[in-house]
Amino acid sequence: MNAPATTELPVVVIGAGPAGLAAAAHLVDQGIEPLVLEAGPSAGTAVREWAHVRLFSTWGEVVDPAAEKLLAPTGWTRPDPAAYPSGGDWADLYLQPLADVLGDRIRLDATVTGVSRAGRDRLVDADREQQPFIVHIAHGDGREERLFAHAVIDASGTWATPGPAGGSGLAALGEKGAADRITYRVPDLKAPAVRARYAGKRTAVIGSGASAFTALASLADLARSYDGAGAKGVWILRRGISGSTFGGGEADQLPARGALGLAAKAAVDEGHADAVTGFRTEAIEHDAGGRLILVGEDGRRLDAVDEVIVLTGFRPDLSFLDELRLGLDERLQAPVDLAPLIDPNQHSCGTVYPHGHRELSHPEQGVYLVGMKSYGRAPTFLAMTGYEQVRSVAAAIAGDLESADRLELTLPETGVCGGAGLFDEPGPTQADGGCCATPATLQIGVGAPATSGGC
């Protein structure tokens, strides 16, 4: 194989979402040519799929500085820094203009199917680091292509690989057979057809993060409306309810994030949703009328529901990186040096430490997972974290290690303490209070819709 000299090659960026486009902007700022490969038909394809969801970060927190510098000569003006964009706003008013400026550096409908070293599979040591990366692409029209790259930045995210309903990390028995009644995204309840699907229906929401909060609050709004009367949520939690269940509330330094948790709590308090705790789904069955019955690993069978919204997080797709030597944490599937900073089993009191190219590096030099992909299965990723990641990575690729090592990002605190917990039960309450005490259990209404089997 006659591979070109590495120094003459572009840096391939996988994904034209917020982190990928920011990476391209920082590479351009460093005088390095990026080539962005996007599997979808437009920049920000994944973001556009949740266009109806409003971010809990402001415009001032979701615009990358290098991207803004690249946009400035076009007359682009950042929207009100204090306003909260929706996913659609973010895509239309920022991501698409940035993609337009990057122009031919972006290729759409280009799915990366494999990355390796030229002439070297993952077993071969000889002269490995002197070889360029080789990237295989499947185009939307069926063509296949092979490209060479100086380095590879994977910003493909995790949107395409959501977690299942099953409590053991596998799909619940019967989950695939009930696919017509299950969605793995927050539904757009303002869209007439989607609204009609959930109006007056009983819907299970499986999950405990911001997406679940959004779904619960949306279903409560539907129940309060004239055309959605009778809509009812059943909130399925794999652990118990404690003071941290609904996030930081008024103590959250991201006010919109705190308000989202309070809206979910209001949905429960007002009776628009029942909370079922310590329930790990094992199976999804159909009753005689075609409705769905969730069966727990402990034998509980919940009252039938019409729809299920599964919001149990996302997972990285690592299949196309299988020929690279990645150093990933065995639990989170995040880079090994980053994992301890973001592990939801342990992370508590404060924020994720600023991190950059060193925490994101792998045994395979020159490849980086950034953005949501870098967090593996860990939740609570913020756009500003991704922007700092790609700034550091671009500087490292350019050889400017002084800049790459200078990390200055300060993240807002969640306003709550304590890790997410290893299993179903909240941790014991500490009597002395303070930052690192587990908050007292909230007194909220908890439904008990078990019809048989007991606890």
Side-chain angles (χ1 to χ4, degrees):
M1 178 182 298
N2 295 319
T6 301
T7 55
E8 302 171 358
L9 299 173
V11 171
V12 163
V13 179
I14 305 174
L21 293 178
H26 280 280
L27 290 168
V28 170
D29 194 49
Q30 292 283 354
I32 300 172
E33 274 301 302
L35 177 59
V36 183
L37 303 175
E38 167 58 45
S42 65
T45 294
V47 175
R48 294 178 189 279
E49 292 189 16
W50 50 269
H52 57 289
V53 177
R54 192 160 300 281
L55 281 70
F56 51 68
S57 297
T58 64
W59 272 112
E61 296 160 336
V62 298
V63 173
D64 176 79
E68 188 167 10
K69 178 181 176 181
L70 201 60
L71 283 163
T74 70
W76 182 85
T77 302
R78 181 173 63 180
D80 180 1
Y84 294 91
S86 66
D89 296 334
W90 203 17
D92 291 338
L93 303 180
Y94 168 63
L95 298 179
Q96 189 59 55
L98 179 55
D100 291 341
V101 170
L102 290 167
D104 292 341
R105 297 182 177 103
I106 298 178
R107 297 189 188 179
L108 304 175
D109 292 312
T111 300
V112 174
T113 58
V115 182
S116 186
R117 290 281 190 177
R120 308 290 188 275
D121 63 22
R122 67 185 299 165
L123 292 175
V124 180
D125 291 332
D127 202 30
R128 185 178 188 86
E129 293 181 3
Q130 282 66 53
Q131 302 305 314
F133 290 96
I134 186 169
V135 182
H136 282 202
I137 307 167
H139 292 277
D141 59 6
R143 292 181 298 113
E144 292 184 319
E145 184 179 5
R146 182 183 67 190
L147 299 175
F148 294 99
H150 169 51
V152 175
I153 300 175
D154 183 358
S156 59
T158 57
W159 179 253
T161 47
S168 299
L170 304 174
L173 300 178
E175 184 171 345
K176 295 179 181 178
D180 61 331
R181 299 286 188 91
I182 301 176
T183 182
Y184 297 87
R185 308 288 189 269
V186 176
D188 182 3
L189 295 183
K190 292 183 179 179
V194 178
R195 193 174 184 85
R197 174 175 175 175
Y198 295 94
K201 301 293 180 61
R202 183 177 168 85
T203 301
V205 178
I206 305 176
S208 59
S211 294
F213 294 168
T214 302
L216 290 166
S218 297
L219 288 170
D221 285 342
L222 178 63
R224 297 183 190 108
S225 67
Y226 73 93
D227 62 340
K232 181 80 171 184
V234 181
W235 188 19
I236 310 298
L237 295 112
R238 294 173 177 172
R239 58 179 63 89
I241 291 180
S242 72
S244 63
T245 298
F246 296 97
E250 295 179 357
D252 199 319
Q253 290 186 17
L254 289 177
R257 181 172 59 188
L260 188 59
L262 294 177
K265 183 178 184 299
V268 177
D269 287 344
E270 295 172 11
H272 299 301
D274 293 328
V276 181
T277 60
F279 190 92
R280 306 178 76 83
T281 307
E282 180 179 83
I284 299 177
E285 302 176 352
H286 290 80
D287 69 5
R291 302 177 79 202
L292 303 180
I293 297 175
L294 274 59
V295 183
E297 292 179 354
D298 59 5
R300 278 185 290 172
R301 300 171 62 85
L302 305 185
D303 288 337
V305 297
D306 301 287
E307 300 284 343
V308 178
I309 302 173
V310 180
L311 301 169
T312 56
F314 295 87
R315 303 171 173 186
D317 177 7
L318 301 168
S319 61
F320 60 88
L321 304 176
D322 195 48
E323 291 304 321
L324 298 177
R325 297 174 176 180
L326 301 181
L328 298 174
D329 179 79
E330 62 185 9
R331 295 171 299 167
L332 297 186
Q333 296 178 294
V336 290
D337 289 337
L338 176 60
L341 307 181
I342 62 176
D343 187 348
N345 292 294
Q346 301 174 6
H347 188 57
S348 64
C349 289
T351 62
V352 176
Y353 292 105
H355 58 275
H357 74 106
R358 295 195 185 278
E359 292 84 359
L360 298 170
S361 63
H362 295 273
E364 192 80 71
Q365 295 184 20
V367 61
Y368 301 92
L369 277 59
V370 302
M372 283 291 298
K373 187 80 172 268
S374 72
Y375 268 40
R377 297 192 181 201
T380 64
F381 183 85
L382 296 175
M384 62 183 83
T385 299
Y387 295 158
E388 177 63 7
Q389 288 179 341
V390 297
R391 183 205 63 78
S392 175
V393 166
I397 292 173
D400 185 357
L401 293 184
E402 180 180 356
S403 176
D405 288 334
R406 188 175 63 249
L407 304 175
E408 302 174 352
L409 176 66
T410 300
L411 294 174
E413 295 188 14
T414 63
V416 298
C417 302
L422 293 175
F423 207 64
D424 298 333
E425 299 301 325
T429 301
Q430 296 184 20
D432 58 352
C435 174
C436 291
T438 303
T441 302
L442 291 174
Q443 297 302 312
I444 65 171
V446 179
T451 57
S452 64
C455 296

